[in-house]
Amino acid sequence: KASARMHAIGEVDEANSAIGLALTMVEGERAAALSRIQNELFDLGADLATPGEVEGALRIVPGQVERLEREIDAMNAELQPLKSFILP
């Protein structure tokens, strides 16, 4: 269980790093959304690193997840349809 938690913390850190890179390429509303998501990922990392119920601990709440899902849907709606797929 602890190794899964450590893996999750690493994944959150990696996502946060990718968002940081993306922030160097956007402005305005998109940059504000990415900055907020980045801050929430820091909170998520704190949640993962704080086991059990600790008073005053930051906790991600369902409303944050739902808002992120809506934002992802809105961003994807603006994309052109895929015409090909590139394997990494």
Side-chain angles (χ1 to χ4, degrees):
K1 201 170 188 179
S3 64
R5 183 177 301 202
M6 292 306 294
H7 181 74
I9 290 169
E11 294 293 323
V12 168
D13 285 345
E14 188 173 340
N16 217 336
S17 176
I19 290 172
L21 177 61
L23 272 167
T24 68
M25 299 176 209
V26 296
E27 297 176 337
E29 187 178 316
R30 186 79 28 109
L34 288 175
S35 291
R36 192 195 69 259
I37 292 166
Q38 197 172 43
N39 285 331
E40 290 176 348
L41 284 174
F42 281 120
D43 292 348
L44 177 58
D47 283 355
L48 292 169
T50 308
E53 295 298 321
V54 176
E55 187 164 335
L58 299 170
R59 295 293 179 215
I60 297 297
V61 297
Q64 289 170 294
V65 176
E66 292 162 5
R67 185 186 64 241
L68 179 58
E69 289 175 351
R70 285 191 305 273
E71 290 173 343
I72 290 169
D73 290 342
M75 289 179 198
N76 282 335
E78 297 174 13
L79 296 176
Q80 296 292 324
L82 289 178
K83 296 180 181 173
S84 65
F85 184 76
I86 300 172
L87 295 173

